[in-house]
Amino acid sequence: MKSLADLKALRDQTKKRLDLRDGESDYRVVVGMGTCGIAAGARPVLNAFVEEIAKENLKASVTQIGCIGMCSYEPLVEIYDKEGNKTTYVHMDANKAVEIVKKHIGQGIVCENYTIGAK
Amino acid sequence: MMESLSSTLLDIASNSVRACAKNIGITFVDSFRQDLVSLEIKDDGKGMDEEMIQKVQDPFFTTRTTRRIGLGIPFFKEMAEQCEGTFVLESKVNVGTRIKASMKKSHWDVPPRGDMGDAIVLAICMDESIHFHFDYISDEKTFCFDSLEIREILGDVSIAEAEISSWLKAYINESIQ
Ligand SMILES: Nc1ncnc2c1ncn2[C@@H]1O[C@H](COP(=O)(O)OP(=O)(O)OP(=O)(O)O)[C@@H](O)[C@H]1O
Ligand SMILES: [Mg+2]
């Protein structure tokens, strides 16, 4: 059974990892979590981004946003680079999220086939 | 409709976040003895006036500018009513809002719980400066989870960090089994 006492140790470990990975984020990942997004399956997409970014130890933040206004394209994810350029990925799922983390966030290659333009 | 109680909870809690609440209280009751499943979300956000309270129960109303229909509250209400339950929405401008769905646990249409730990943690991650309090009440046990207590342990580390959030999700789920 887990207890909150264990959380302190985990926190210290995480802190060490974060200190090593200095500097600001290269990418900002924004996941649409309005009613439409959640109903379409945005939760596993969000979690896949968070887990994969940590696994690959990449510099990117993941945040939630409400309805972006293109409900029929949900789950929807926007990725901003340091210069503020936006890529919009549509009809997302957890597998696509893993691929996008590896290519887009890891190597800077946009996964064109998942973007809104490809639809 | 949402596929699980946890998605419903996350969605309704996100309304509270958007209403600039500083404190959000979530109560989840799951009882065979009372034949009851209920979800209640209370906040001290900007609230709604009488007219608005009526309007938001209609799916063709929203204050969003991105879309003409709001779905969150109508889904929540529909879920309660489909399960021979009751729906309550009370709100006061500048005071806050209380929204609750109570369902008959034995009813076929009660959605599965889904991943409650995930929903609670994702709700907290929406805005870590908000104080979240979660209470779980079943026949065998009660469990409470408070974001202030967690904040104190974590200090300058965010709840959204992968290893922290996954630990907390598992911790909550283990505690409400
Ligand atoms: N806790 C709250 N406090 C204040 N206002 C609220 C609250 N919950 C809902 N509202 C108001 O009611 C409206 C309808 O809410 P509802 O969740 O049904 O739809 P929505 O949030 O607008 O869109 P979505 O379909 O993404 O949920 C909101 O736009 C907001 O103005
Ligand atoms: Mg809503």
PDB file of all heavy atoms in Angstrom, chain B residues 2-23:
ATOM      1  N   MET B   2     -20.491  10.810 -21.550  1.00  0.00           N
ATOM      2  CA  MET B   2     -19.123  10.389 -21.264  1.00  0.00           C
ATOM      3  C   MET B   2     -19.109   8.886 -20.981  1.00  0.00           C
ATOM      4  O   MET B   2     -20.075   8.332 -20.480  1.00  0.00           O
ATOM      5  CB  MET B   2     -18.617  11.121 -20.021  1.00  0.00           C
ATOM      6  CG  MET B   2     -18.429  12.603 -20.260  1.00  0.00           C
ATOM      7  SD  MET B   2     -16.993  12.878 -21.292  1.00  0.00           S
ATOM      8  CE  MET B   2     -16.964  14.659 -21.286  1.00  0.00           C
ATOM      9  N   GLU B   3     -17.952   8.250 -21.247  1.00  0.00           N
ATOM     10  CA  GLU B   3     -17.884   6.805 -21.101  1.00  0.00           C
ATOM     11  C   GLU B   3     -17.673   6.377 -19.661  1.00  0.00           C
ATOM     12  O   GLU B   3     -17.885   5.232 -19.325  1.00  0.00           O
ATOM     13  CB  GLU B   3     -16.822   6.233 -22.040  1.00  0.00           C
ATOM     14  CG  GLU B   3     -15.384   6.138 -21.537  1.00  0.00           C
ATOM     15  CD  GLU B   3     -14.706   7.455 -21.132  1.00  0.00           C
ATOM     16  OE1 GLU B   3     -15.253   8.544 -21.419  1.00  0.00           O
ATOM     17  OE2 GLU B   3     -13.638   7.395 -20.500  1.00  0.00           O
ATOM     18  N   SER B   4     -17.270   7.313 -18.807  1.00  0.00           N
ATOM     19  CA  SER B   4     -17.007   6.921 -17.421  1.00  0.00           C
ATOM     20  C   SER B   4     -17.313   8.060 -16.464  1.00  0.00           C
ATOM     21  O   SER B   4     -17.379   9.226 -16.853  1.00  0.00           O
ATOM     22  CB  SER B   4     -15.540   6.516 -17.261  1.00  0.00           C
ATOM     23  OG  SER B   4     -14.713   7.649 -17.430  1.00  0.00           O
ATOM     24  N   LEU B   5     -17.476   7.707 -15.188  1.00  0.00           N
ATOM     25  CA  LEU B   5     -17.714   8.715 -14.152  1.00  0.00           C
ATOM     26  C   LEU B   5     -16.508   9.641 -14.041  1.00  0.00           C
ATOM     27  O   LEU B   5     -16.644  10.838 -13.819  1.00  0.00           O
ATOM     28  CB  LEU B   5     -17.947   8.033 -12.793  1.00  0.00           C
ATOM     29  CG  LEU B   5     -19.244   7.232 -12.662  1.00  0.00           C
ATOM     30  CD1 LEU B   5     -19.237   6.451 -11.342  1.00  0.00           C
ATOM     31  CD2 LEU B   5     -20.463   8.151 -12.739  1.00  0.00           C
ATOM     32  N   SER B   6     -15.323   9.073 -14.221  1.00  0.00           N
ATOM     33  CA  SER B   6     -14.119   9.885 -14.044  1.00  0.00           C
ATOM     34  C   SER B   6     -14.011  10.973 -15.111  1.00  0.00           C
ATOM     35  O   SER B   6     -13.619  12.101 -14.816  1.00  0.00           O
ATOM     36  CB  SER B   6     -12.876   8.997 -14.045  1.00  0.00           C
ATOM     37  OG  SER B   6     -12.697   8.397 -15.300  1.00  0.00           O
ATOM     38  N   SER B   7     -14.386  10.659 -16.356  1.00  0.00           N
ATOM     39  CA  SER B   7     -14.340  11.683 -17.407  1.00  0.00           C
ATOM     40  C   SER B   7     -15.368  12.779 -17.123  1.00  0.00           C
ATOM     41  O   SER B   7     -15.107  13.968 -17.347  1.00  0.00           O
ATOM     42  CB  SER B   7     -14.621  11.075 -18.788  1.00  0.00           C
ATOM     43  OG  SER B   7     -13.477  10.420 -19.263  1.00  0.00           O
ATOM     44  N   THR B   8     -16.515  12.373 -16.619  1.00  0.00           N
ATOM     45  CA  THR B   8     -17.552  13.334 -16.252  1.00  0.00           C
ATOM     46  C   THR B   8     -17.038  14.274 -15.176  1.00  0.00           C
ATOM     47  O   THR B   8     -17.199  15.495 -15.249  1.00  0.00           O
ATOM     48  CB  THR B   8     -18.773  12.566 -15.712  1.00  0.00           C
ATOM     49  OG1 THR B   8     -19.168  11.633 -16.687  1.00  0.00           O
ATOM     50  CG2 THR B   8     -19.916  13.506 -15.400  1.00  0.00           C
ATOM     51  N   LEU B   9     -16.396  13.681 -14.187  1.00  0.00           N
ATOM     52  CA  LEU B   9     -15.858  14.468 -13.073  1.00  0.00           C
ATOM     53  C   LEU B   9     -14.831  15.489 -13.573  1.00  0.00           C
ATOM     54  O   LEU B   9     -14.884  16.668 -13.220  1.00  0.00           O
ATOM     55  CB  LEU B   9     -15.221  13.499 -12.076  1.00  0.00           C
ATOM     56  CG  LEU B   9     -14.578  14.029 -10.809  1.00  0.00           C
ATOM     57  CD1 LEU B   9     -14.565  12.921  -9.786  1.00  0.00           C
ATOM     58  CD2 LEU B   9     -13.169  14.517 -11.028  1.00  0.00           C
ATOM     59  N   LEU B  10     -13.925  15.029 -14.411  1.00  0.00           N
ATOM     60  CA  LEU B  10     -12.885  15.913 -14.935  1.00  0.00           C
ATOM     61  C   LEU B  10     -13.510  17.069 -15.719  1.00  0.00           C
ATOM     62  O   LEU B  10     -13.116  18.227 -15.587  1.00  0.00           O
ATOM     63  CB  LEU B  10     -11.936  15.103 -15.834  1.00  0.00           C
ATOM     64  CG  LEU B  10     -10.829  15.870 -16.550  1.00  0.00           C
ATOM     65  CD1 LEU B  10      -9.909  16.559 -15.554  1.00  0.00           C
ATOM     66  CD2 LEU B  10     -10.028  14.914 -17.442  1.00  0.00           C
ATOM     67  N   ASP B  11     -14.509  16.741 -16.492  1.00  0.00           N
ATOM     68  CA  ASP B  11     -15.162  17.747 -17.333  1.00  0.00           C
ATOM     69  C   ASP B  11     -15.889  18.804 -16.480  1.00  0.00           C
ATOM     70  O   ASP B  11     -15.753  20.007 -16.719  1.00  0.00           O
ATOM     71  CB  ASP B  11     -16.150  17.035 -18.257  1.00  0.00           C
ATOM     72  CG  ASP B  11     -16.823  18.000 -19.196  1.00  0.00           C
ATOM     73  OD1 ASP B  11     -16.143  18.917 -19.699  1.00  0.00           O
ATOM     74  OD2 ASP B  11     -18.031  17.846 -19.440  1.00  0.00           O
ATOM     75  N   ILE B  12     -16.612  18.354 -15.473  1.00  0.00           N
ATOM     76  CA  ILE B  12     -17.345  19.314 -14.638  1.00  0.00           C
ATOM     77  C   ILE B  12     -16.369  20.138 -13.794  1.00  0.00           C
ATOM     78  O   ILE B  12     -16.545  21.333 -13.602  1.00  0.00           O
ATOM     79  CB  ILE B  12     -18.388  18.573 -13.755  1.00  0.00           C
ATOM     80  CG1 ILE B  12     -19.458  17.905 -14.637  1.00  0.00           C
ATOM     81  CG2 ILE B  12     -19.033  19.522 -12.755  1.00  0.00           C
ATOM     82  CD1 ILE B  12     -20.319  18.872 -15.443  1.00  0.00           C
ATOM     83  N   ALA B  13     -15.308  19.481 -13.330  1.00  0.00           N
ATOM     84  CA  ALA B  13     -14.297  20.228 -12.561  1.00  0.00           C
ATOM     85  C   ALA B  13     -13.628  21.284 -13.434  1.00  0.00           C
ATOM     86  O   ALA B  13     -13.245  22.351 -12.948  1.00  0.00           O
ATOM     87  CB  ALA B  13     -13.250  19.267 -11.992  1.00  0.00           C
ATOM     88  N   SER B  14     -13.507  21.030 -14.730  1.00  0.00           N
ATOM     89  CA  SER B  14     -12.864  22.021 -15.604  1.00  0.00           C
ATOM     90  C   SER B  14     -13.734  23.270 -15.748  1.00  0.00           C
ATOM     91  O   SER B  14     -13.220  24.363 -15.944  1.00  0.00           O
ATOM     92  CB  SER B  14     -12.504  21.427 -16.966  1.00  0.00           C
ATOM     93  OG  SER B  14     -13.648  21.247 -17.757  1.00  0.00           O
ATOM     94  N   ASN B  15     -15.045  23.113 -15.615  1.00  0.00           N
ATOM     95  CA  ASN B  15     -15.920  24.302 -15.579  1.00  0.00           C
ATOM     96  C   ASN B  15     -15.566  25.171 -14.372  1.00  0.00           C
ATOM     97  O   ASN B  15     -15.512  26.395 -14.473  1.00  0.00           O
ATOM     98  CB  ASN B  15     -17.396  23.902 -15.453  1.00  0.00           C
ATOM     99  CG  ASN B  15     -17.987  23.402 -16.765  1.00  0.00           C
ATOM    100  OD1 ASN B  15     -17.426  23.601 -17.829  1.00  0.00           O
ATOM    101  ND2 ASN B  15     -19.130  22.753 -16.664  1.00  0.00           N
ATOM    102  N   SER B  16     -15.333  24.519 -13.241  1.00  0.00           N
ATOM    103  CA  SER B  16     -15.001  25.257 -12.014  1.00  0.00           C
ATOM    104  C   SER B  16     -13.673  25.990 -12.168  1.00  0.00           C
ATOM    105  O   SER B  16     -13.524  27.123 -11.714  1.00  0.00           O
ATOM    106  CB  SER B  16     -14.919  24.306 -10.818  1.00  0.00           C
ATOM    107  OG  SER B  16     -16.150  23.647 -10.627  1.00  0.00           O
ATOM    108  N   VAL B  17     -12.721  25.335 -12.816  1.00  0.00           N
ATOM    109  CA  VAL B  17     -11.418  25.972 -13.038  1.00  0.00           C
ATOM    110  C   VAL B  17     -11.604  27.207 -13.917  1.00  0.00           C
ATOM    111  O   VAL B  17     -11.080  28.274 -13.633  1.00  0.00           O
ATOM    112  CB  VAL B  17     -10.415  24.990 -13.697  1.00  0.00           C
ATOM    113  CG1 VAL B  17      -9.129  25.702 -14.087  1.00  0.00           C
ATOM    114  CG2 VAL B  17     -10.113  23.823 -12.759  1.00  0.00           C
ATOM    115  N   ARG B  18     -12.412  27.044 -14.958  1.00  0.00           N
ATOM    116  CA  ARG B  18     -12.648  28.149 -15.877  1.00  0.00           C
ATOM    117  C   ARG B  18     -13.416  29.294 -15.199  1.00  0.00           C
ATOM    118  O   ARG B  18     -13.330  30.442 -15.606  1.00  0.00           O
ATOM    119  CB  ARG B  18     -13.397  27.664 -17.117  1.00  0.00           C
ATOM    120  CG  ARG B  18     -12.900  28.306 -18.381  1.00  0.00           C
ATOM    121  CD  ARG B  18     -13.184  27.491 -19.663  1.00  0.00           C
ATOM    122  NE  ARG B  18     -14.242  26.533 -19.584  1.00  0.00           N
ATOM    123  CZ  ARG B  18     -15.494  26.752 -20.018  1.00  0.00           C
ATOM    124  NH1 ARG B  18     -15.837  27.893 -20.546  1.00  0.00           N
ATOM    125  NH2 ARG B  18     -16.394  25.786 -19.918  1.00  0.00           N
ATOM    126  N   ALA B  19     -14.170  28.950 -14.151  1.00  0.00           N
ATOM    127  CA  ALA B  19     -14.927  29.977 -13.424  1.00  0.00           C
ATOM    128  C   ALA B  19     -14.051  30.652 -12.361  1.00  0.00           C
ATOM    129  O   ALA B  19     -14.560  31.344 -11.471  1.00  0.00           O
ATOM    130  CB  ALA B  19     -16.165  29.365 -12.792  1.00  0.00           C
ATOM    131  N   CYS B  20     -12.736  30.439 -12.429  1.00  0.00           N
ATOM    132  CA  CYS B  20     -11.767  31.077 -11.540  1.00  0.00           C
ATOM    133  C   CYS B  20     -11.952  30.701 -10.074  1.00  0.00           C
ATOM    134  O   CYS B  20     -11.747  31.546  -9.177  1.00  0.00           O
ATOM    135  CB  CYS B  20     -11.813  32.603 -11.665  1.00  0.00           C
ATOM    136  SG  CYS B  20     -11.653  33.168 -13.350  1.00  0.00           S
ATOM    137  N   ALA B  21     -12.321  29.461  -9.808  1.00  0.00           N
ATOM    138  CA  ALA B  21     -12.455  29.012  -8.427  1.00  0.00           C
ATOM    139  C   ALA B  21     -11.085  28.951  -7.759  1.00  0.00           C
ATOM    140  O   ALA B  21     -10.084  28.696  -8.417  1.00  0.00           O
ATOM    141  CB  ALA B  21     -13.107  27.631  -8.395  1.00  0.00           C
ATOM    142  N   LYS B  22     -11.055  29.229  -6.462  1.00  0.00           N
ATOM    143  CA  LYS B  22      -9.817  29.069  -5.694  1.00  0.00           C
ATOM    144  C   LYS B  22      -9.855  27.747  -4.934  1.00  0.00           C
ATOM    145  O   LYS B  22      -8.832  27.174  -4.613  1.00  0.00           O
ATOM    146  CB  LYS B  22      -9.662  30.228  -4.712  1.00  0.00           C
ATOM    147  CG  LYS B  22      -9.463  31.550  -5.448  1.00  0.00           C
ATOM    148  CD  LYS B  22      -8.815  32.593  -4.543  1.00  0.00           C
ATOM    149  CE  LYS B  22      -8.354  33.780  -5.364  1.00  0.00           C
ATOM    150  NZ  LYS B  22      -9.488  34.353  -6.168  1.00  0.00           N
ATOM    151  N   ASN B  23     -11.079  27.322  -4.612  1.00  0.00           N
ATOM    152  CA  ASN B  23     -11.266  26.058  -3.907  1.00  0.00           C
ATOM    153  C   ASN B  23     -12.294  25.209  -4.643  1.00  0.00           C
ATOM    154  O   ASN B  23     -13.374  25.702  -4.979  1.00  0.00           O
ATOM    155  CB  ASN B  23     -11.773  26.319  -2.486  1.00  0.00           C
ATOM    156  CG  ASN B  23     -10.770  27.099  -1.659  1.00  0.00           C
ATOM    157  OD1 ASN B  23      -9.806  26.539  -1.145  1.00  0.00           O
ATOM    158  ND2 ASN B  23     -10.966  28.407  -1.578  1.00  0.00           N
TER     159      ASN B  23
END
